[in-house]
Amino acid sequence: MAKKLTILQIVTRRQYRGAEMFASKLSEGLVALGHQVVFLGLYAAPLADLQPKGAECFDLDGNSASFISLDLLRNLKQFIADHKPDVIQANGSDTLKYAALCKSQFPQIPFIYRLISMPSYWMGTNPIKRMVYRYFYGKTDFVTGVGRPAIEQLCNLMNYPPAQTNVIYRGVDEDVFDKNASREMLRKALNLSAQAQVFITVGALKDEKDHHFMIEAFAQMNHFEKERHLVILGEGDLKGVLQAKSKSLGLEMKIHFVGFKDNVGEWLAGSDLFLLTSRIEGVPGVVIEAAIQELTTLALDVGGVREVIKHEETGIALPNREVDSFAFYADYLLNNPALLAEMGKNARKLATNKFGLKRAVLEFEELYYRWQSKANQS
């Protein structure tokens, strides 16, 4: 019988955002397999903190203002020394640099990094910055990416060995909400009529999600013949700016900023069309979550979007960032409910076959065992 592992999952903070939420679901799956999981946030957790069931949860309450906080680095090294994990996995964002800087002190512990987005977007073209990140990546034992485009870009930009990479697609829960009940819940929560058509999006209110584009497109959609609303789930620094933009366009009664919700699947199931207008994505997990609820997605084709959308089969992925075109396709889809329903059913088939949570958990477990075995042999 294989030894049960102690796995340290490091996240930026224990918040309800894509990378952290998947790390949480992964942790719960690993606990169910008998492993011990320590779930660690580098920075202070929000009031609604993420707590994977069965995992030990901690925060280092580090300072995020500086590129490298020596206090945070020192605390992380002490934390690793105290908990003695068999494997360390860092999940996106700042976790890479801090885990990499700990590697020299703990060379025997396999360090796996989960790449969640396209490196070129957040790394930029600054040669010094790229050199620094090349050093950080050089300290990793293995990089697993959310999609093939992200991994290929990493290898090209960082000269990272392809043999030390793979793609493990994000896994999502496959529970389906009743569409009629969810539709009633959503419309009651927002005081909408039963006939109201609802666009929905889920994501942090940050520049990279480009809600400005989405609001501008929504303003051009046909609201006259049918009652249409845009529901925005998520929190972020741009909330006030986006609310002001909605008001300036006369859409403050049509665009609903509902903040964080812990029943995202239910809100998705009660909606008519999912919208994604990001400037950059790895493989957008929210599109998979929408697909599980048989909800079709209209998206801009960036990053790994085509890994979760088969164009004109499970949704629409538009190649150009054009407001007019996006608004046209949104109108077209909502005016063709039979096509919308067919795409939604196809989307669920794709999601369950390719992005099941159990599959992802088992793939990560196999990866951990492989690298822990290598560490024991060295």
Side-chain angles (χ1 to χ4, degrees):
M1 182 176 179
K3 170 195 172 186
K4 296 307 177 183
L5 304 173
T6 298
I7 303 159
L8 174 58
Q9 293 282 351
I10 306 177
V11 297
T12 304
R13 55 170 48 88
R14 293 189 299 111
Q15 60 188 345
Y16 283 85
R17 289 189 65 182
E20 290 85 355
M21 289 176 67
F22 174 73
S24 177
K25 289 296 183 183
L26 172 60
S27 297
E28 291 179 353
L30 293 166
V31 168
L33 293 175
H35 301 290
Q36 180 183 4
V37 177
V38 181
F39 196 76
L40 176 67
L42 295 178
Y43 307 129
L47 291 177
D49 58 337
L50 195 57
Q51 299 185 41
K53 295 176 183 177
E56 296 181 82
C57 296
F58 300 92
D59 302 294
L60 294 181
D61 297 336
N63 177 14
S64 61
S66 57
F67 182 66
I68 297 291
S69 165
L70 295 181
D71 286 340
L72 175 54
L73 179 60
R74 189 180 306 112
N75 291 339
L76 178 57
K77 287 181 177 180
Q78 187 61 54
F79 189 92
I80 295 171
D82 291 342
H83 287 80
K84 300 178 175 61
D86 296 303
V87 176
I88 296 172
Q89 178 168 317
N91 296 277
S93 190
D94 287 357
T95 66
L96 170 64
K97 59 189 179 186
Y98 283 104
L101 291 171
C102 290
K103 180 63 176 176
S104 58
Q105 186 169 329
F106 305 98
Q108 77 284 4
I109 303 177
F111 167 31
I112 293 165
Y113 179 65
R114 183 169 181 261
L115 179 63
I116 63 171
S117 187
M118 302 296 285
S120 62
Y121 180 77
W122 48 264
M123 200 178 302
T125 58
N126 186 310
I128 296 177
K129 190 172 184 179
R130 289 196 175 187
M131 180 178 67
V132 170
Y133 274 94
R134 189 172 290 119
Y135 171 81
F136 292 150
Y137 276 108
K139 294 295 182 180
T140 65
D141 292 302
F142 197 85
V143 174
T144 179
V146 296
R148 180 55 50 191
I151 286 292
E152 290 175 350
Q153 194 176 88
L154 169 71
C155 295
N156 291 334
L157 288 179
M158 297 286 99
N159 295 325
Y160 196 85
Q164 290 174 225
T165 69
N166 74 352
V167 173
I168 299 181
Y169 290 114
R170 174 179 176 170
V172 297
D173 288 328
E174 298 177 34
D175 296 336
V176 180
F177 288 88
D178 180 86
K179 278 192 169 294
N180 291 329
S182 298
R183 183 180 178 87
E184 183 177 350
M185 177 281 299
L186 188 156
R187 281 150 184 78
K188 184 177 180 180
L190 300 178
N191 195 27
L192 307 182
S193 73
Q195 292 73 37
Q197 294 179 323
V198 175
F199 300 100
I200 192 168
T201 191
V202 181
L205 307 184
K206 302 284 187 181
D207 284 332
E208 60 264 29
K209 299 301 181 182
D210 202 357
H211 290 88
H212 285 285
F213 178 98
M214 186 181 298
I215 291 171
E216 289 166 10
F218 182 71
Q220 293 194 24
M221 295 174 197
N222 181 3
H223 303 287
F224 304 105
E225 294 180 4
K226 296 179 180 178
E227 180 189 354
R228 289 179 175 169
H229 293 261
L230 171 61
V231 175
I232 299 177
L233 269 67
E235 295 285 357
D237 300 338
L238 294 181
K239 186 172 184 177
V241 174
L242 294 170
Q243 287 175 322
K245 185 182 186 77
S246 301
K247 187 174 183 179
S248 71
L249 294 170
L251 296 171
E252 66 269 29
M253 303 301 292
K254 294 273 191 176
I255 300 179
H256 309 268
F257 294 85
V258 299
F260 163 77
K261 297 293 179 183
D262 57 7
N263 59 335
V264 172
E266 191 174 7
W267 283 78
L268 293 171
S271 302
D272 297 292
L273 183 65
F274 187 84
L275 304 180
L276 186 76
T277 56
S278 302
R279 294 184 182 279
I280 189 67
E281 287 284 352
V283 171
V286 289
V287 174
I288 307 170
E289 293 178 28
I292 291 294
Q293 305 305 326
E294 294 190 3
L295 180 63
T296 300
T297 294
L298 170 62
L300 295 174
D301 187 7
V302 297
V305 162
R306 285 294 186 110
E307 298 204 43
V308 294
I309 295 178
K310 289 186 177 180
H311 184 59
E312 297 184 341
E313 182 178 336
T314 69
I316 300 292
L318 298 177
N320 299 316
R321 187 171 290 273
E322 297 174 352
V323 170
D324 292 351
S325 178
F326 197 88
F328 169 83
Y329 274 96
D331 276 330
Y332 175 77
L333 288 170
L334 283 195
N335 287 331
N336 290 274
L339 174 62
L340 206 59
E342 181 184 358
M343 283 185 170
K345 292 183 184 300
N346 292 339
R348 175 166 170 80
K349 289 178 184 177
L350 174 67
T352 53
N353 291 337
K354 191 173 181 180
F355 300 102
L357 181 59
K358 291 180 181 178
R359 170 207 49 79
V361 172
L362 291 175
E363 287 188 39
F364 272 103
E365 182 189 47
E366 188 278 330
L367 179 62
Y368 301 153
Y369 275 134
R370 177 154 39 100
W371 278 94
Q372 213 256 337
S373 175
K374 287 184 179 181
N376 290 339
Q377 293 170 8
S378 60

